[in-house]
Amino acid sequence: MIKRSQICWLVILVTIGFQIIQAQLAEDALRYSQLGLGVGARELGMGNATVGGVNDYSALYWNPAGLALERDFEFSFGLSRLGYTNDVSYLGTKTSSNNSAVNLNNLGLVYPIPTVQGSLTFAFGFNRAANYTTTSSMNTFNTSSSFSQSTFLLYQPLDFNIPYRLGLAGTDTLGNMIPILTGNVQQVINFIEGGGLNHWTVGGAMDIGPNLSLGISLNFSSGSYSYDQTANESDTRNLYPASIHPNDFNQFTYENTINDDISGFNALFGLMYRKPGKYSIGFAIRTGTTYDISRTFSEVASSQFKTLDTSGFNTYEYPMTSETNKYKVTTPYILSGGISVQAFDWLLIAADVEYTDWTQMKLGGSRIDFSSDNSRIKNDMRATTNIRGGGEVSIFDIGLKLRAGIIYNPSPLKGSSSRDQMYYTAGIGYMLDERTALNAAYAYGSWKNLQIKYTYVDGSGATQDVETDETVTTSNLNVTLSYRF
């Protein structure tokens, strides 16, 4: 028989939702402000160095001024696959985990309008702007702390204090929480994230002078984000052998999930100047986006002891609770510029820079005080300049092109150069016939992470962070088919 705690539902639904949101708000702002590896296999193969020379459907995403170079109708369709591997080191133990996702990368149409001179071109379609697929796992014997000591769980009013309700904590004469578990447990903690951001885009470009074009894309954003955390602790070494409850701990299980619905709008303005047959230069400004986030948080927990308590139970449950809250994330402007040079008839080289001031991220909403979180963003974030470069080699006149590139994305966090992301890309393109092109690209990424899994208060009253060293590697495959008519 399972003993079910009686919960003060109203207090839980209001308070837990607020605290979960505030537990990772700055991280949310950064997640929703960062875009992924973009649209188009040709572009990825060249390290996404495209702002200065993009001339196909993907211009709608990178620099809409490049649409003015289109003289034919174009249909574009692309798929992408992300593979994510995370090696987590904690307390001398390394745990590896993997996650992956396959998504529609792009689907759209370019529609040129006949003109007497110059160019006027429109385009519309779907673009996958970001992918939130990640994972992290740790499996180790912890002698110094327990997840049940987490400040988020332990320091709550008794009506919805999970450790207290599950018999894993008590109170002293002053009402202070006293955890029963302070270590010597086998910990298995897993995190899985998923979802992504989509752009439903319409745009166009026109020549405003000889070899000078101006373009705009309007992006209606929608997407979802999911987070699933599970924590399991058990007495695998029989270090809690007491026959007197509750010092006979056997197992503790906790799970929480977060599901976000995302919507927003931004615009991308582009300018491109071309010296036909020699070079082209482009600039783009992506406006900030104010995302409306609707978050649903749920959690459930249970504990098990080796012997029965005075009521005849040894298993306790904290029933599933959930709450929905809404808030806003405002992202910074993104400024980019690039150049594309036709060095030889058979060689094209390109380079981009992209500037973002991450301190301009902002959180907002009517039911929560975001001042401390916005101050944290100002203090902990910095401005960065991403660097991208690549090249394309045409193989004789057989319609085959080989590509390679590199992407360097510095970490937005101050003092965290180890988290800088580096990608190495390669690609191939082949003309199936005079109107149909098939392009494929692969990108390998790697970087380091230092993650706080939970925070607890030790016996001396000092706050301690449980941190893990993580090595992340990613593999991105993109295949795009385009048909011009």
Side-chain angles (χ1 to χ4, degrees):
M1 180 176 181
I2 295 176
K3 179 179 179 181
R4 295 185 176 274
S5 305
Q6 299 301 310
I7 308 298
C8 180
W9 290 97
L10 180 59
V11 175
I12 286 176
L13 294 180
V14 174
T15 307
I16 285 187
F18 284 177
Q19 292 180 345
I20 279 294
I21 285 179
Q22 292 191 293
Q24 59 176 51
L25 277 174
E27 290 79 4
D28 291 339
L30 183 58
R31 178 188 309 108
Y32 296 137
S33 296
Q34 292 180 307
L35 299 178
L37 287 180
V39 169
R42 178 177 184 265
E43 289 68 29
L44 182 60
M46 295 180 62
N48 285 337
T50 61
V51 174
V54 63
N55 59 1
D56 57 14
Y57 165 79
S58 63
L60 199 62
Y61 179 88
W62 295 106
N63 181 356
L67 291 171
L69 298 176
E70 282 274 30
R71 296 295 189 268
D72 298 317
F73 292 89
E74 180 190 354
F75 169 77
S76 179
F77 168 77
L79 295 174
S80 61
R81 180 193 183 276
L82 167 63
Y84 188 100
T85 299
N86 193 354
D87 294 323
V88 177
S89 297
Y90 178 62
L91 296 179
T93 302
K94 179 178 288 188
T95 307
S96 182
S97 58
N98 301 276
N99 198 4
S100 63
V102 177
N103 300 106
L104 177 66
N105 180 256
N106 69 87
L107 179 65
L109 182 69
V110 178
Y111 191 98
I113 303 297
T115 58
V116 176
Q117 63 181 8
S119 175
L120 176 63
T121 306
F122 296 97
F124 60 90
F126 166 93
N127 298 313
R128 184 72 165 182
N131 195 327
Y132 303 137
T133 299
T134 73
T135 183
S136 176
S137 296
M138 52 187 282
N139 185 347
T140 189
F141 188 80
N142 191 335
T143 61
S144 57
S145 73
S146 162
F147 189 83
S148 66
Q149 291 177 269
S150 168
T151 53
F152 168 70
L153 296 177
L154 192 59
Y155 296 97
Q156 309 292 347
L158 296 184
D159 282 339
F160 55 97
N161 185 301
I162 290 178
Y164 180 80
R165 305 299 293 190
L166 296 182
L168 300 174
T171 58
D172 61 17
T173 56
L174 299 177
N176 299 315
M177 295 303 304
I178 305 297
I180 291 175
L181 294 182
T182 58
N184 291 324
V185 292
Q186 185 70 32
Q187 285 184 328
V188 180
I189 301 177
N190 300 313
F191 300 82
I192 297 177
E193 294 178 298
L197 183 68
N198 307 313
H199 282 175
W200 303 88
T201 306
V202 59
M206 63 182 298
D207 283 336
I208 57 174
N211 300 317
L212 181 65
S213 58
L214 177 70
I216 181 174
S217 297
L218 304 178
N219 302 300
F220 300 88
S221 303
S222 66
S224 63
Y225 165 73
S226 64
Y227 169 93
D228 191 340
Q229 176 195 44
T230 59
N232 182 275
E233 295 182 334
S234 55
D235 181 23
T236 57
R237 302 186 183 182
N238 198 32
L239 297 177
Y240 293 86
S243 59
I244 301 177
H245 186 83
N247 298 314
D248 56 343
F249 167 76
N250 187 46
Q251 184 170 281
F252 167 55
T253 301
Y254 173 81
E255 180 177 1
N256 76 57
T257 60
I258 295 173
N259 290 283
D260 289 353
D261 290 323
I262 311 160
S263 62
F265 171 82
N266 68 51
L268 177 66
F269 299 92
L271 186 70
M272 186 179 290
Y273 175 76
R274 310 175 297 277
K275 192 72 171 177
K278 295 184 177 181
Y279 66 86
S280 59
I281 300 173
F283 302 93
I285 300 175
R286 189 181 299 275
T287 66
T289 306
T290 297
Y291 291 115
D292 292 307
I293 312 294
S294 177
R295 166 162 296 182
T296 300
F297 166 75
S298 302
E299 66 178 349
V300 64
S302 65
S303 64
Q304 184 184 66
F305 296 84
K306 298 183 179 74
T307 60
L308 302 178
D309 63 14
T310 57
S311 300
F313 301 106
N314 72 332
T315 302
Y316 303 86
E317 278 194 0
Y318 184 91
M320 174 73 74
T321 62
S322 62
E323 162 66 1
T324 298
N325 282 284
K326 296 182 179 181
Y327 65 104
K328 296 179 183 291
V329 172
T330 300
T331 70
Y333 275 65
I334 301 175
L335 312 178
S336 57
I339 184 170
S340 177
V341 178
Q342 192 72 52
F344 301 98
D345 290 342
W346 52 271
L347 177 62
L348 176 70
I349 56 176
D352 284 1
V353 293
E354 182 179 85
Y355 174 84
T356 309
D357 184 357
W358 303 100
T359 67
Q360 300 306 302
M361 296 185 300
K362 189 176 181 181
L363 295 153
S366 60
R367 300 178 64 189
I368 305 175
D369 181 8
F370 293 93
S371 57
S372 62
D373 300 285
N374 287 326
S375 294
R376 179 185 169 194
I377 289 172
K378 294 290 185 182
N379 294 331
D380 293 348
M381 300 296 173
R382 62 175 181 172
T384 63
T385 300
N386 296 341
I387 301 174
R388 305 188 287 259
E392 178 182 78
V393 176
S394 299
I395 306 299
F396 305 112
D397 293 322
I398 61 174
L400 180 66
K401 298 179 184 290
L402 302 179
R403 307 178 182 107
I406 189 170
I407 303 171
Y408 172 63
N409 295 337
S411 170
L413 295 170
K414 292 179 180 177
S416 60
S417 58
S418 64
R419 300 187 186 189
D420 294 353
Q421 298 181 355
M422 185 71 73
Y423 294 90
Y424 302 93
T425 74
I428 186 171
Y430 185 69
M431 294 297 300
L432 301 178
D433 56 41
E434 62 180 11
R435 294 184 176 276
T436 309
L438 180 64
N439 292 285
Y442 176 83
Y444 173 84
S446 65
W447 59 90
K448 301 284 188 179
N449 269 339
L450 181 65
Q451 294 287 342
I452 297 176
K453 298 305 184 185
Y454 63 91
T455 300
Y456 70 99
V457 177
D458 63 20
S460 67
T463 300
Q464 304 289 343
D465 292 329
V466 173
E467 296 180 332
T468 57
D469 292 314
E470 304 184 2
T471 301
V472 175
T473 57
T474 63
S475 58
N476 294 266
L477 179 63
N478 190 314
V479 178
T480 303
L481 179 69
S482 60
Y483 176 72
R484 294 186 176 185
F485 57 97

